[in-house]
Amino acid sequence: MKNKWMNFLSGSVKVKVQGKGIERFVNKCLRNGIHIWNVKKQDEHTATFFIFLKDVRAMRVMVRKSGCKLFFIGKSGLPFLGKKMLRNTGFLIGIFLFFALVFLLSNMVWNVRIEGAKPETEYRILKELKQMGVEKGAFQFLLDPPEVIQQKLTDRIETITWVGVELKGTTFYFQVVEKKKPKEPEAVGVRHLVAKKKAVITHMFVEEGQPLVAVHDYVNKGQVLVSGIIGKEGKTKLVPARGKIFGETWYKSTVVLPFDSVFQVYTGKYMEKHYIAIGSFSLPVWGFKKPPFSHYKTENQKRALQFWRWKLPIYYERVIYRENEEVKRSYTWNEALQKAKEMARNELEGKLETDASIVGEKILHATKENGKVKVEIHYQVVENIAIPQPIVQGD
């Protein structure tokens, strides 16, 4: 098997020798290092055999002194195949272009299917996908990965709860779950409204039930604000108390902020490199220079290429180098105090309900400790303090 491969790679020639003393000629060739095989004697003065292409010149020299005649009657191997292929360049180019075209078409998006969405939602999804470049005719390896597309759609379209993104062959499939409209409020049992914390009542909106407190009253946690028992003695009935009771409550927040801090920010500059990867080997195809940034973060995107319906063990890899820089920030005492107040307020607002409001704040304590400012702030908040408490029959 090894000899066959060597013969093919080196190229071989079938030779016919005619004349007297063929045996002496063959032996002389062997003594001079010319490899000969498959020797067949046709008659007393004729024989055929094979030699390597590289030995043709040496044999021509030797046959002149032997009294024999030399004829080349066949040829095979890679060198002759290469010459034949070069004579058919148009055919080779056609084959290459065919496979290149099939490869490119196999890595394009030819269809986008959306399931589970209403027509208006589907229109919005298609519009967002077009902005992301996901449309018919787009190259798959230039698009974001499916998980990134999924996140962008969820963030940009408020009417969907979840969207599944899957790429099968040349088709993107989107499975959409839309947000459902809020259901009618369920019937609730009879109940009181009680205070969830200490507060001073500021204003009230009672829809159903008997108010037991008034504006400016101070109430404790658990105190009944609106009773679910209405009517006069002997003619009472139980109802589900409804309404909102707003009261002034109090919070205390503590914030510690360093005067000096160091953090990394992106400058907005970036460069890209593109590779064709096979296993652990990567061949660069675009972007050969080193990143011109002294500090940067790397983002890798890797996607398998496919030919027709088959995924190839070849990957398109996109590497993005984003420049970042170190920023040093220093606060004066007043700046640090103002920033700490802003942070404390934002943190508190994140905890409060949407109908709550901060009506007052006061710094209780502000100190410098180990290069940091420590601030304690007292807040006055107006919020709905009413929570339901079921009425147990027999109480």
Side-chain angles (χ1 to χ4, degrees), residues 172-213:
F172 265 105
Y173 291 88
F174 296 86
Q175 185 65 44
V176 181
V177 177
E178 294 196 56
K179 291 181 180 178
K180 295 182 179 180
K181 293 182 179 180
K183 297 180 180 179
E184 293 289 332
E186 296 181 2
V188 296
V190 292
R191 64 185 185 181
H192 299 307
L193 293 181
V194 300
K196 65 180 179 181
K197 59 176 63 177
K198 295 178 180 180
V200 175
I201 305 300
T202 57
H203 51 286
M204 305 164 53
F205 302 98
V206 179
E207 298 178 35
E208 192 171 5
Q210 179 63 42
L212 301 182
V213 294

mmCIF file of all heavy atoms in Angstrom, residues 172-213:
data_model
loop_
_atom_site.group_PDB
_atom_site.id
_atom_site.type_symbol
_atom_site.label_atom_id
_atom_site.label_comp_id
_atom_site.label_asym_id
_atom_site.label_seq_id
_atom_site.Cartn_x
_atom_site.Cartn_y
_atom_site.Cartn_z
ATOM 1 N N PHE A 172 -34.738 30.667 10.946
ATOM 2 C CA PHE A 172 -34.860 31.101 12.338
ATOM 3 C C PHE A 172 -36.296 30.845 12.791
ATOM 4 O O PHE A 172 -37.256 31.240 12.130
ATOM 5 C CB PHE A 172 -34.560 32.602 12.472
ATOM 6 C CG PHE A 172 -33.134 32.898 12.848
ATOM 7 C CD1 PHE A 172 -32.247 33.383 11.908
ATOM 8 C CD2 PHE A 172 -32.688 32.702 14.147
ATOM 9 C CE1 PHE A 172 -30.938 33.663 12.244
ATOM 10 C CE2 PHE A 172 -31.380 32.980 14.503
ATOM 11 C CZ PHE A 172 -30.502 33.452 13.553
ATOM 12 N N TYR A 173 -36.436 30.179 13.947
ATOM 13 C CA TYR A 173 -37.750 29.921 14.529
ATOM 14 C C TYR A 173 -37.881 30.729 15.822
ATOM 15 O O TYR A 173 -36.993 30.682 16.679
ATOM 16 C CB TYR A 173 -37.931 28.432 14.840
ATOM 17 C CG TYR A 173 -38.024 27.564 13.608
ATOM 18 C CD1 TYR A 173 -36.878 27.037 13.017
ATOM 19 C CD2 TYR A 173 -39.259 27.265 13.027
ATOM 20 C CE1 TYR A 173 -36.963 26.238 11.878
ATOM 21 C CE2 TYR A 173 -39.355 26.468 11.896
ATOM 22 C CZ TYR A 173 -38.200 25.958 11.321
ATOM 23 O OH TYR A 173 -38.283 25.175 10.207
ATOM 24 N N PHE A 174 -38.996 31.456 15.937
ATOM 25 C CA PHE A 174 -39.267 32.254 17.127
ATOM 26 C C PHE A 174 -40.585 31.786 17.747
ATOM 27 O O PHE A 174 -41.632 31.845 17.094
ATOM 28 C CB PHE A 174 -39.352 33.748 16.784
ATOM 29 C CG PHE A 174 -38.064 34.325 16.272
ATOM 30 C CD1 PHE A 174 -37.744 34.257 14.918
ATOM 31 C CD2 PHE A 174 -37.169 34.923 17.133
ATOM 32 C CE1 PHE A 174 -36.562 34.770 14.445
ATOM 33 C CE2 PHE A 174 -35.975 35.442 16.661
ATOM 34 C CZ PHE A 174 -35.671 35.367 15.318
ATOM 35 N N GLN A 175 -40.503 31.304 18.976
ATOM 36 C CA GLN A 175 -41.696 30.881 19.709
ATOM 37 C C GLN A 175 -41.997 31.949 20.759
ATOM 38 O O GLN A 175 -41.201 32.167 21.658
ATOM 39 C CB GLN A 175 -41.466 29.523 20.383
ATOM 40 C CG GLN A 175 -42.693 28.950 21.062
ATOM 41 C CD GLN A 175 -43.798 28.602 20.073
ATOM 42 O OE1 GLN A 175 -43.543 28.020 19.033
ATOM 43 N NE2 GLN A 175 -45.021 28.969 20.394
ATOM 44 N N VAL A 176 -43.138 32.627 20.605
ATOM 45 C CA VAL A 176 -43.436 33.813 21.420
ATOM 46 C C VAL A 176 -44.506 33.499 22.463
ATOM 47 O O VAL A 176 -45.497 32.821 22.167
ATOM 48 C CB VAL A 176 -43.913 34.979 20.521
ATOM 49 C CG1 VAL A 176 -44.204 36.222 21.362
ATOM 50 C CG2 VAL A 176 -42.861 35.292 19.462
ATOM 51 N N VAL A 177 -44.280 33.983 23.674
ATOM 52 C CA VAL A 177 -45.295 33.941 24.729
ATOM 53 C C VAL A 177 -45.616 35.383 25.088
ATOM 54 O O VAL A 177 -44.755 36.110 25.593
ATOM 55 C CB VAL A 177 -44.800 33.176 25.971
ATOM 56 C CG1 VAL A 177 -45.864 33.215 27.074
ATOM 57 C CG2 VAL A 177 -44.457 31.741 25.612
ATOM 58 N N GLU A 178 -46.841 35.821 24.776
ATOM 59 C CA GLU A 178 -47.232 37.204 25.033
ATOM 60 C C GLU A 178 -47.751 37.377 26.453
ATOM 61 O O GLU A 178 -48.222 36.428 27.089
ATOM 62 C CB GLU A 178 -48.315 37.639 24.039
ATOM 63 C CG GLU A 178 -47.827 37.714 22.604
ATOM 64 C CD GLU A 178 -48.773 38.493 21.729
ATOM 65 O OE1 GLU A 178 -49.065 39.662 22.064
ATOM 66 O OE2 GLU A 178 -49.231 37.946 20.714
ATOM 67 N N LYS A 179 -47.633 38.616 26.921
ATOM 68 C CA LYS A 179 -48.174 38.940 28.240
ATOM 69 C C LYS A 179 -49.701 38.903 28.186
ATOM 70 O O LYS A 179 -50.313 39.420 27.239
ATOM 71 C CB LYS A 179 -47.697 40.317 28.691
ATOM 72 C CG LYS A 179 -46.208 40.377 29.000
ATOM 73 C CD LYS A 179 -45.795 41.755 29.469
ATOM 74 C CE LYS A 179 -44.303 41.801 29.772
ATOM 75 N NZ LYS A 179 -43.867 43.155 30.180
ATOM 76 N N LYS A 180 -50.283 38.311 29.186
ATOM 77 C CA LYS A 180 -51.735 38.241 29.249
ATOM 78 C C LYS A 180 -52.280 39.465 29.962
ATOM 79 O O LYS A 180 -51.654 40.004 30.872
ATOM 80 C CB LYS A 180 -52.169 36.972 29.984
ATOM 81 C CG LYS A 180 -51.784 35.695 29.248
ATOM 82 C CD LYS A 180 -52.292 34.475 29.998
ATOM 83 C CE LYS A 180 -51.929 33.186 29.257
ATOM 84 N NZ LYS A 180 -52.410 31.983 29.978
ATOM 85 N N LYS A 181 -53.449 39.892 29.511
ATOM 86 C CA LYS A 181 -54.101 41.020 30.173
ATOM 87 C C LYS A 181 -54.497 40.631 31.585
ATOM 88 O O LYS A 181 -54.862 39.488 31.841
ATOM 89 C CB LYS A 181 -55.343 41.449 29.383
ATOM 90 C CG LYS A 181 -55.034 42.036 28.025
ATOM 91 C CD LYS A 181 -56.296 42.480 27.323
ATOM 92 C CE LYS A 181 -55.973 43.089 25.965
ATOM 93 N NZ LYS A 181 -57.203 43.525 25.258
ATOM 94 N N PRO A 182 -54.406 41.586 32.510
ATOM 95 C CA PRO A 182 -54.777 41.257 33.885
ATOM 96 C C PRO A 182 -56.219 40.783 33.976
ATOM 97 O O PRO A 182 -57.111 41.347 33.342
ATOM 98 C CB PRO A 182 -54.568 42.578 34.640
ATOM 99 C CG PRO A 182 -54.551 43.637 33.591
ATOM 100 C CD PRO A 182 -54.026 43.002 32.349
ATOM 101 N N LYS A 183 -56.409 39.740 34.745
ATOM 102 C CA LYS A 183 -57.752 39.206 34.917
ATOM 103 C C LYS A 183 -58.578 40.100 35.828
ATOM 104 O O LYS A 183 -58.054 40.940 36.553
ATOM 105 C CB LYS A 183 -57.668 37.793 35.509
ATOM 106 C CG LYS A 183 -56.961 36.789 34.616
ATOM 107 C CD LYS A 183 -56.931 35.431 35.283
ATOM 108 C CE LYS A 183 -56.224 34.407 34.394
ATOM 109 N NZ LYS A 183 -56.174 33.070 35.052
ATOM 110 N N GLU A 184 -59.849 39.886 35.740
ATOM 111 C CA GLU A 184 -60.749 40.604 36.640
ATOM 112 C C GLU A 184 -60.379 40.265 38.083
ATOM 113 O O GLU A 184 -60.040 39.132 38.389
ATOM 114 C CB GLU A 184 -62.199 40.176 36.384
ATOM 115 C CG GLU A 184 -62.732 40.594 35.031
ATOM 116 C CD GLU A 184 -62.956 42.095 34.966
ATOM 117 O OE1 GLU A 184 -63.217 42.692 36.028
ATOM 118 O OE2 GLU A 184 -62.847 42.662 33.866
ATOM 119 N N PRO A 185 -60.396 41.266 38.959
ATOM 120 C CA PRO A 185 -60.031 40.979 40.353
ATOM 121 C C PRO A 185 -60.918 39.881 40.929
ATOM 122 O O PRO A 185 -62.133 39.900 40.771
ATOM 123 C CB PRO A 185 -60.246 42.320 41.069
ATOM 124 C CG PRO A 185 -61.067 43.144 40.138
ATOM 125 C CD PRO A 185 -60.804 42.664 38.764
ATOM 126 N N GLU A 186 -60.259 38.929 41.560
ATOM 127 C CA GLU A 186 -61.003 37.819 42.127
ATOM 128 C C GLU A 186 -61.798 38.281 43.352
ATOM 129 O O GLU A 186 -61.416 39.217 44.057
ATOM 130 C CB GLU A 186 -60.045 36.697 42.531
ATOM 131 C CG GLU A 186 -59.304 36.094 41.351
ATOM 132 C CD GLU A 186 -58.388 34.975 41.789
ATOM 133 O OE1 GLU A 186 -58.378 34.659 42.996
ATOM 134 O OE2 GLU A 186 -57.687 34.421 40.918
ATOM 135 N N ALA A 187 -62.879 37.594 43.560
ATOM 136 C CA ALA A 187 -63.706 37.900 44.732
ATOM 137 C C ALA A 187 -62.915 37.582 45.991
ATOM 138 O O ALA A 187 -62.272 36.541 46.091
ATOM 139 C CB ALA A 187 -64.987 37.083 44.684
ATOM 140 N N VAL A 188 -62.915 38.499 46.922
ATOM 141 C CA VAL A 188 -62.179 38.304 48.178
ATOM 142 C C VAL A 188 -63.174 38.106 49.313
ATOM 143 O O VAL A 188 -64.325 38.558 49.263
ATOM 144 C CB VAL A 188 -61.267 39.515 48.473
ATOM 145 C CG1 VAL A 188 -60.199 39.628 47.410
ATOM 146 C CG2 VAL A 188 -62.066 40.807 48.553
ATOM 147 N N GLY A 189 -62.705 37.442 50.331
ATOM 148 C CA GLY A 189 -63.551 37.202 51.485
ATOM 149 C C GLY A 189 -63.670 38.440 52.362
ATOM 150 O O GLY A 189 -62.999 39.455 52.158
ATOM 151 N N VAL A 190 -64.520 38.360 53.340
ATOM 152 C CA VAL A 190 -64.697 39.497 54.265
ATOM 153 C C VAL A 190 -63.400 39.737 55.016
ATOM 154 O O VAL A 190 -62.689 38.797 55.388
ATOM 155 C CB VAL A 190 -65.862 39.198 55.225
ATOM 156 C CG1 VAL A 190 -67.178 39.182 54.488
ATOM 157 C CG2 VAL A 190 -65.670 37.876 55.965
ATOM 158 N N ARG A 191 -63.119 41.019 55.270
ATOM 159 C CA ARG A 191 -61.826 41.348 55.869
ATOM 160 C C ARG A 191 -61.829 42.771 56.412
ATOM 161 O O ARG A 191 -62.704 43.584 56.077
ATOM 162 C CB ARG A 191 -60.726 41.223 54.826
ATOM 163 C CG ARG A 191 -60.886 42.228 53.689
ATOM 164 C CD ARG A 191 -59.878 42.036 52.582
ATOM 165 N NE ARG A 191 -59.983 43.080 51.569
ATOM 166 C CZ ARG A 191 -59.237 43.163 50.477
ATOM 167 N NH1 ARG A 191 -58.328 42.240 50.239
ATOM 168 N NH2 ARG A 191 -59.401 44.153 49.631
ATOM 169 N N HIS A 192 -60.838 43.045 57.263
ATOM 170 C CA HIS A 192 -60.533 44.401 57.721
ATOM 171 C C HIS A 192 -59.314 44.901 56.945
ATOM 172 O O HIS A 192 -58.599 44.126 56.304
ATOM 173 C CB HIS A 192 -60.179 44.413 59.211
ATOM 174 C CG HIS A 192 -61.265 43.929 60.115
ATOM 175 N ND1 HIS A 192 -62.540 44.430 60.099
ATOM 176 C CD2 HIS A 192 -61.232 42.977 61.105
ATOM 177 C CE1 HIS A 192 -63.265 43.822 61.017
ATOM 178 N NE2 HIS A 192 -62.487 42.917 61.649
ATOM 179 N N LEU A 193 -59.062 46.175 57.015
ATOM 180 C CA LEU A 193 -57.786 46.745 56.597
ATOM 181 C C LEU A 193 -57.074 47.219 57.842
ATOM 182 O O LEU A 193 -57.632 47.991 58.627
ATOM 183 C CB LEU A 193 -57.992 47.923 55.630
ATOM 184 C CG LEU A 193 -58.591 47.595 54.254
ATOM 185 C CD1 LEU A 193 -58.703 48.867 53.406
ATOM 186 C CD2 LEU A 193 -57.751 46.562 53.520
ATOM 187 N N VAL A 194 -55.829 46.735 58.040
ATOM 188 C CA VAL A 194 -55.074 47.094 59.241
ATOM 189 C C VAL A 194 -53.773 47.769 58.832
ATOM 190 O O VAL A 194 -53.341 47.688 57.673
ATOM 191 C CB VAL A 194 -54.783 45.847 60.097
ATOM 192 C CG1 VAL A 194 -56.083 45.169 60.531
ATOM 193 C CG2 VAL A 194 -53.895 44.862 59.338
ATOM 194 N N ALA A 195 -53.128 48.434 59.773
ATOM 195 C CA ALA A 195 -51.878 49.160 59.509
ATOM 196 C C ALA A 195 -50.706 48.181 59.491
ATOM 197 O O ALA A 195 -50.585 47.336 60.376
ATOM 198 C CB ALA A 195 -51.664 50.236 60.565
ATOM 199 N N LYS A 196 -49.854 48.319 58.503
ATOM 200 C CA LYS A 196 -48.687 47.439 58.420
ATOM 201 C C LYS A 196 -47.494 47.996 59.204
ATOM 202 O O LYS A 196 -46.516 47.291 59.413
ATOM 203 C CB LYS A 196 -48.291 47.208 56.964
ATOM 204 C CG LYS A 196 -47.813 48.438 56.219
ATOM 205 C CD LYS A 196 -47.458 48.082 54.775
ATOM 206 C CE LYS A 196 -47.003 49.308 53.990
ATOM 207 N NZ LYS A 196 -46.685 48.966 52.578
ATOM 208 N N LYS A 197 -47.587 49.270 59.623
ATOM 209 C CA LYS A 197 -46.519 49.862 60.431
ATOM 210 C C LYS A 197 -47.048 51.119 61.123
ATOM 211 O O LYS A 197 -48.157 51.580 60.848
ATOM 212 C CB LYS A 197 -45.313 50.215 59.564
ATOM 213 C CG LYS A 197 -45.617 51.192 58.437
ATOM 214 C CD LYS A 197 -44.373 51.602 57.658
ATOM 215 C CE LYS A 197 -43.747 50.429 56.974
ATOM 216 N NZ LYS A 197 -42.574 50.809 56.160
ATOM 217 N N LYS A 198 -46.254 51.672 62.005
ATOM 218 C CA LYS A 198 -46.619 52.918 62.676
ATOM 219 C C LYS A 198 -46.660 54.052 61.659
ATOM 220 O O LYS A 198 -45.836 54.122 60.755
ATOM 221 C CB LYS A 198 -45.611 53.263 63.775
ATOM 222 C CG LYS A 198 -45.567 52.269 64.926
ATOM 223 C CD LYS A 198 -44.514 52.688 65.933
ATOM 224 C CE LYS A 198 -44.450 51.712 67.104
ATOM 225 N NZ LYS A 198 -43.419 52.112 68.097
ATOM 226 N N ALA A 199 -47.630 54.974 61.834
ATOM 227 C CA ALA A 199 -47.752 56.077 60.884
ATOM 228 C C ALA A 199 -48.712 57.133 61.411
ATOM 229 O O ALA A 199 -49.446 56.895 62.376
ATOM 230 C CB ALA A 199 -48.234 55.565 59.528
ATOM 231 N N VAL A 200 -48.685 58.302 60.774
ATOM 232 C CA VAL A 200 -49.664 59.358 61.007
ATOM 233 C C VAL A 200 -50.481 59.494 59.727
ATOM 234 O O VAL A 200 -49.921 59.726 58.656
ATOM 235 C CB VAL A 200 -48.994 60.693 61.361
ATOM 236 C CG1 VAL A 200 -50.039 61.797 61.473
ATOM 237 C CG2 VAL A 200 -48.209 60.586 62.659
ATOM 238 N N ILE A 201 -51.813 59.337 59.844
ATOM 239 C CA ILE A 201 -52.673 59.332 58.670
ATOM 240 C C ILE A 201 -52.634 60.706 57.991
ATOM 241 O O ILE A 201 -52.794 61.740 58.637
ATOM 242 C CB ILE A 201 -54.125 58.983 59.045
ATOM 243 C CG1 ILE A 201 -54.188 57.655 59.808
ATOM 244 C CG2 ILE A 201 -55.004 58.922 57.804
ATOM 245 C CD1 ILE A 201 -53.657 56.497 59.041
ATOM 246 N N THR A 202 -52.435 60.689 56.660
ATOM 247 C CA THR A 202 -52.414 61.941 55.890
ATOM 248 C C THR A 202 -53.671 62.088 55.024
ATOM 249 O O THR A 202 -54.240 63.169 54.940
ATOM 250 C CB THR A 202 -51.173 62.003 55.002
ATOM 251 O OG1 THR A 202 -51.156 60.851 54.136
ATOM 252 C CG2 THR A 202 -49.895 62.022 55.837
ATOM 253 N N HIS A 203 -54.096 61.035 54.362
ATOM 254 C CA HIS A 203 -55.341 61.072 53.596
ATOM 255 C C HIS A 203 -55.823 59.637 53.366
ATOM 256 O O HIS A 203 -55.049 58.677 53.481
ATOM 257 C CB HIS A 203 -55.195 61.817 52.270
ATOM 258 C CG HIS A 203 -54.051 61.364 51.426
ATOM 259 N ND1 HIS A 203 -52.727 61.654 51.708
ATOM 260 C CD2 HIS A 203 -54.024 60.634 50.272
ATOM 261 C CE1 HIS A 203 -51.947 61.143 50.790
ATOM 262 N NE2 HIS A 203 -52.716 60.504 49.901
ATOM 263 N N MET A 204 -57.133 59.516 53.048
ATOM 264 C CA MET A 204 -57.772 58.203 52.964
ATOM 265 C C MET A 204 -58.693 58.125 51.751
ATOM 266 O O MET A 204 -59.310 59.120 51.380
ATOM 267 C CB MET A 204 -58.597 57.932 54.242
ATOM 268 C CG MET A 204 -57.801 58.055 55.529
ATOM 269 S SD MET A 204 -58.863 58.177 56.993
ATOM 270 C CE MET A 204 -59.908 56.748 56.788
ATOM 271 N N PHE A 205 -58.770 56.908 51.167
ATOM 272 C CA PHE A 205 -59.737 56.621 50.106
ATOM 273 C C PHE A 205 -60.379 55.275 50.437
ATOM 274 O O PHE A 205 -59.790 54.231 50.185
ATOM 275 C CB PHE A 205 -59.050 56.557 48.733
ATOM 276 C CG PHE A 205 -58.316 57.808 48.366
ATOM 277 C CD1 PHE A 205 -56.946 57.923 48.562
ATOM 278 C CD2 PHE A 205 -58.990 58.882 47.813
ATOM 279 C CE1 PHE A 205 -56.273 59.081 48.223
ATOM 280 C CE2 PHE A 205 -58.319 60.046 47.457
ATOM 281 C CZ PHE A 205 -56.954 60.155 47.676
ATOM 282 N N VAL A 206 -61.576 55.326 51.014
ATOM 283 C CA VAL A 206 -62.255 54.106 51.444
ATOM 284 C C VAL A 206 -63.365 53.787 50.442
ATOM 285 O O VAL A 206 -64.280 54.582 50.243
ATOM 286 C CB VAL A 206 -62.836 54.259 52.863
ATOM 287 C CG1 VAL A 206 -63.566 52.982 53.273
ATOM 288 C CG2 VAL A 206 -61.727 54.600 53.858
ATOM 289 N N GLU A 207 -63.278 52.619 49.798
ATOM 290 C CA GLU A 207 -64.296 52.192 48.830
ATOM 291 C C GLU A 207 -65.411 51.414 49.516
ATOM 292 O O GLU A 207 -66.581 51.551 49.164
ATOM 293 C CB GLU A 207 -63.655 51.312 47.757
ATOM 294 C CG GLU A 207 -62.585 52.014 46.933
ATOM 295 C CD GLU A 207 -61.949 51.087 45.923
ATOM 296 O OE1 GLU A 207 -62.675 50.218 45.380
ATOM 297 O OE2 GLU A 207 -60.730 51.196 45.687
ATOM 298 N N GLU A 208 -65.019 50.595 50.457
ATOM 299 C CA GLU A 208 -66.017 49.766 51.135
ATOM 300 C C GLU A 208 -65.527 49.460 52.540
ATOM 301 O O GLU A 208 -64.337 49.214 52.752
ATOM 302 C CB GLU A 208 -66.240 48.457 50.358
ATOM 303 C CG GLU A 208 -67.437 47.666 50.816
ATOM 304 C CD GLU A 208 -67.759 46.496 49.894
ATOM 305 O OE1 GLU A 208 -66.978 46.258 48.946
ATOM 306 O OE2 GLU A 208 -68.788 45.827 50.118
ATOM 307 N N GLY A 209 -66.462 49.506 53.510
ATOM 308 C CA GLY A 209 -66.093 49.249 54.895
ATOM 309 C C GLY A 209 -66.315 50.476 55.767
ATOM 310 O O GLY A 209 -66.681 51.564 55.287
ATOM 311 N N GLN A 210 -66.077 50.326 57.065
ATOM 312 C CA GLN A 210 -66.296 51.384 58.043
ATOM 313 C C GLN A 210 -64.961 51.953 58.506
ATOM 314 O O GLN A 210 -64.180 51.277 59.168
ATOM 315 C CB GLN A 210 -67.057 50.829 59.254
ATOM 316 C CG GLN A 210 -67.330 51.838 60.358
ATOM 317 C CD GLN A 210 -68.226 52.974 59.887
ATOM 318 O OE1 GLN A 210 -69.209 52.737 59.176
ATOM 319 N NE2 GLN A 210 -67.916 54.192 60.284
ATOM 320 N N PRO A 211 -64.635 53.229 58.160
ATOM 321 C CA PRO A 211 -63.376 53.819 58.631
ATOM 322 C C PRO A 211 -63.379 53.963 60.157
ATOM 323 O O PRO A 211 -64.368 54.418 60.739
ATOM 324 C CB PRO A 211 -63.341 55.188 57.954
ATOM 325 C CG PRO A 211 -64.336 55.110 56.847
ATOM 326 C CD PRO A 211 -65.390 54.163 57.297
ATOM 327 N N LEU A 212 -62.283 53.573 60.779
ATOM 328 C CA LEU A 212 -62.151 53.689 62.225
ATOM 329 C C LEU A 212 -61.102 54.711 62.631
ATOM 330 O O LEU A 212 -60.866 54.910 63.830
ATOM 331 C CB LEU A 212 -61.795 52.323 62.836
ATOM 332 C CG LEU A 212 -62.793 51.186 62.582
ATOM 333 C CD1 LEU A 212 -62.325 49.917 63.291
ATOM 334 C CD2 LEU A 212 -64.191 51.575 63.049
ATOM 335 N N VAL A 213 -60.452 55.343 61.652
ATOM 336 C CA VAL A 213 -59.443 56.372 61.932
ATOM 337 C C VAL A 213 -59.729 57.586 61.068
ATOM 338 O O VAL A 213 -60.515 57.514 60.105
ATOM 339 C CB VAL A 213 -58.011 55.850 61.656
ATOM 340 C CG1 VAL A 213 -57.631 54.734 62.633
ATOM 341 C CG2 VAL A 213 -57.875 55.372 60.209
#
